[in-house]
Amino acid sequence: MIAGTPALVALMGWFFLKEKLSSSGIVGLGISALGVLLVVGLGTQGSNLFKHSGSSRLGDFLMILSSFNWALFQILSRKLTLQMRPAFAIFWLNAIALCLGTLLIIGNPMALTELFSLSPKAWGALLFLGVVCSGLCYVLWYDGLAVLSAARVTAFQFFQPLVGAAAAYIMLGDRFTRSSPIG
């Protein structure tokens, strides 16, 4: 998902925001598409090209849909940062998300019970995710969107699969075929 999103953002930025797309950017789009096809087509288990089971195909479709969703979010965010200060934009986006999330939790008594039964370690993890990942990181991301094109900022996402794959290998023991790192 993360490897495909920058290509979608570049295309959407070119189309909707009239951002320039250089010839090297077009080559990058092609390389990105090939990498995504390699990973989605061959997977991490080395299966035959696109011969996944039904649930795997559904998962692939959901990840592609998620890429479009994230790309649209980036384009709309870039538009926001051109109209208002980045910190102001991200504050309101997080405030709205907090309100909607709170409504969902309050509307589901089972979720509320689970929330109050979390361990101190889980609360610490939630606090870290909220303050660092959804707070600090988004402020920095939006500051980048205010001064760079959406495609250029989103290209920094290419570091995430590398870090994620290394962490999955070290922490979860995930196995990879030759196609995974090439993709």
Side-chain angles (χ1 to χ4, degrees):
M1 177 191 112
I2 291 171
T5 303
L8 292 172
V9 170
L11 287 172
M12 292 172 102
W14 170 76
F15 187 78
F16 293 111
L17 301 175
K18 307 302 180 218
E19 293 179 345
K20 292 182 181 179
L21 194 55
S22 66
S23 56
S24 62
I26 293 169
V27 170
L29 289 173
I31 292 170
S32 173
L34 287 174
V36 170
L37 287 174
L38 185 63
V39 171
V40 171
L42 298 177
T44 58
Q45 303 304 317
S47 60
N48 292 331
L49 190 64
F50 294 105
K51 292 186 180 174
H52 298 301
S53 67
S55 64
S56 181
R57 258 183 263 140
L58 175 61
D60 289 345
F61 172 74
L62 291 172
M63 288 299 99
I64 291 168
L65 189 61
S66 182
S67 291
F68 277 101
N69 180 55
W70 182 248
L72 182 62
F73 178 75
Q74 290 302 308
I75 295 303
L76 293 173
S77 295
R78 169 74 172 142
K79 239 180 153 165
L80 271 177
T81 62
L82 296 173
Q83 298 169 356
M84 62 181 71
R85 289 189 325 236
F88 187 74
I90 196 62
F91 169 80
W92 283 109
L93 286 171
N94 278 314
I96 291 167
L98 177 64
C99 291
L100 292 174
T102 301
L103 288 174
L104 288 173
I105 290 173
I106 290 172
N108 184 350
M110 197 168 176
L112 197 56
T113 302
E114 288 181 26
L115 186 64
F116 286 118
S117 67
L118 291 175
S119 69
K121 187 175 180 179
W123 277 106
L126 283 174
L127 186 62
F128 173 80
L129 286 170
V131 172
V132 176
C133 298
S134 293
L136 177 62
C137 290
Y138 270 107
V139 167
L140 295 173
W141 190 266
Y142 270 60
D143 283 346
L145 277 174
V147 296
L148 299 171
S149 72
R152 185 162 181 147
V153 170
T154 304
F156 284 95
Q157 283 183 269
F158 284 122
F159 289 113
Q160 291 178 350
L162 299 174
V163 173
Y169 177 79
I170 293 166
M171 298 170 71
L172 303 175
D174 276 8
R175 293 179 38 207
F176 299 98
T177 63
R178 286 184 210 144
S179 64
S180 296
I182 293 168

